[in-house]
Structure formats: structure tokens, C-alpha cells
Amino acid sequence: MPAALRRPLLLILLVLALLGAVVVVLLHRSGAPAPVGEPAAEEPGPVLLVPGYGGSVQSMEPLAARLRVEGRDATVVAWPAPGTGDLRAVADALDDAAREALDRTGAASVDVVGYSAGGLVARLWITDGNADVVRRVVTLGSPHHGTEVAQFAAAYAPDRCPEACRQMVPGSDLIAGLGTDETPDDVGWVSLWTDQDTVVTPPDSARLDGALNLTVQSVCAGRQVSHLQLPGDPVVQGIVLASLGQADPVAPTPADCATLDG
């Protein structure tokens, strides 16, 4: 190449190299990572816990307290009185709690733990256009496909089966309205239940397509955990804590039982 052409080419290459160096320096000063490698995992934000039918805040406090000990910002979402009304109203309360938590903490997203009917509430809220502010959802013994107990009550004791009860009848308008996409994208889903559940029947009504599905007994064989005991059981709490960590959730094995129970 003639010297007259080589000099301008070298000058151009030098300018490009200097521009690249300037970009790296600016990215470093702004705190933004250079656009190479894997993206950083999203930092876990506040945790919102939704009680089950009846709306007992106290039922979720042991789990909320365990989360707080681990440094998580945990809030139990109260149901509107009397705690047996339209699950959509509870989803509205969850929405208010999420907005408040995000504003208060400046976090980018929330995690949600839904116990029993609270799992349906979480799904209602997320499918109503809120998947973008949810990082992870864990449901505990939730009647995602209804429960035969509600079906029996609606048929034989309708005066004792208020609106939330009727909404948990298999094939109800509310359950059908959640659609076929049970686990919207961009949200990590974990569904945990006990094989000994006599409230959500059959117990595997809690199974969600696309979620990490597991039973307490698949981790700790023979462990006695009823539906009502789920939020307070140490193994369940340990699984919830692990599922809400920064890493993607993985299914615990029987080898993890002793550690989780500790």
C-alpha cells in the first residue's frame, strides 16, 4: 500500500480505538456494565405474602418473620373484610401493596408468596398486566384448578359457600378466566404443596404448567404437614427462602431435608 494511503488509514484506526476507550470509561463512571458477557441477575426486592381463604394475616406472620430474619422486606397483604369475598378485590389489595412497596424501597420488582387461595390472587394480579413488576412467585397449597371441598360446599351447603368459595369450585368462571397460560413469561414460578392436603382436593390441583412443581414429601418423605400447617412448617419455609433467593430456583432433593428442617 502506498505511504500516502497508509497514513490516513492508520489515523482512522487510531481515532476508532480512542473512541472505544472513551465509551468504556464512560460506562465505568456511570456504573453501567460493559455490554459483554451475561447480564447481572435482578436483585431480589420486597416480598408480599397473600393469606388464604378468610384472609388471616396471622397465618402468614411466621413465614414473614423468617423472611425478615434473612434480611428480606416482607409484608402480609390483608384481605378486604370479611375475608371471603371476591378474589379480584384481594388482587386489588395486592396491587396497592406492590405499588407501595416499590415506591418505598425503590426496588425494580417484588416477589409474591400466595398461600392457598392467595395463590389464585397472585395469578389474577399478574395476568392483569403486572408480570413486568414481579420477579418470582411461590404458591403454597393453592387450588389452581379448584378444590372438591368448595364444589361439595357449593352443591350441598350454598349458604356456607360465599363468593371466594364459589370461585374455587373446579371449572369456575374465575379459574377458567385465568386462561391456558398458567405461568406467564418473565416470572419465576414455584408451586409447593403437601400430599396430605384435605382442604385442597385433590392436592395436585396445586400443579401449574411451566412452574417448578414439588411436594413437601418429595423432599422429606413421610413428613406430616397439613394444609393449615404449610406457612409455619420449617421445611416449607426453607424451600420458600431458597426459591426466593437471587439464583434461579431448583428442586431440593431428599439430601436437603435435614438442612431445610434445621
Side-chain angles (χ1 to χ4, degrees):
M1 180 183 295
L5 294 178
R6 189 160 50 245
R7 283 193 294 271
L9 179 58
L10 290 174
L11 182 60
I12 292 171
L13 292 174
L14 179 60
V15 170
L16 290 175
L18 289 172
L19 286 174
V22 169
V23 169
V24 170
V25 170
L26 290 175
L27 285 172
H28 177 74
R29 288 182 177 177
S30 67
V36 293
E38 294 295 325
E42 185 176 343
E43 188 71 21
V47 184
L48 303 174
L49 300 95
V50 187
Y53 183 78
S56 171
V57 171
Q58 290 73 23
S59 69
M60 301 300 284
E61 278 300 336
L63 179 53
R66 179 86 181 268
L67 286 160
R68 293 178 192 124
V69 167
E70 297 299 321
R72 299 298 297 271
D73 183 301
T75 301
V76 181
V77 179
W79 282 44
T84 57
D86 190 349
L87 296 181
R88 297 179 186 86
V90 190
D92 290 340
L94 174 57
D95 186 69
D96 291 341
R99 304 302 160 187
E100 188 279 330
L102 292 172
D103 288 345
R104 173 170 49 81
T105 64
S109 63
V110 298
D111 291 337
V112 181
V113 179
Y115 166 53
S116 194
L120 285 174
V121 171
R123 290 179 62 203
L124 281 169
W125 177 63
I126 290 167
T127 56
D128 193 31
N130 293 295
D132 60 329
V133 294
V134 183
R135 186 187 69 107
R136 202 159 293 164
V137 179
V138 179
T139 65
L140 307 176
S142 292
H144 293 302
H145 304 100
T147 169
E148 294 167 350
V149 170
Q151 187 174 38
F152 183 88
Y156 298 103
D159 57 326
R160 297 187 179 182
C161 187
E163 188 166 11
C165 170
R166 297 192 300 272
Q167 289 173 331
M168 289 187 283
V169 172
S172 71
D173 289 344
L174 183 140
I175 290 174
L178 287 170
T180 56
D181 183 6
E182 296 186 346
T183 52
D185 293 339
D186 301 324
V187 178
W189 296 82
V190 177
S191 182
L192 173 65
W193 66 94
T194 173
D195 287 335
Q196 298 150 1
D197 203 322
T198 58
V199 175
V200 172
T201 55
D204 66 357
S205 175
R207 184 176 297 277
L208 273 175
D209 287 342
L212 175 61
N213 292 290
L214 62 152
T215 67
V216 176
Q217 289 74 27
S218 69
V219 182
C220 296
R223 189 173 185 84
Q224 300 297 306
V225 182
S226 70
H227 180 83
L228 294 177
Q229 291 171 329
L230 280 167
D233 182 78
V235 169
V236 172
Q237 292 180 354
I239 293 172
V240 171
L241 286 168
S243 298
L244 297 183
Q246 188 155 0
D248 290 339
V250 296
T253 69
D256 301 311
C257 178
T259 302
L260 290 167
D261 198 17

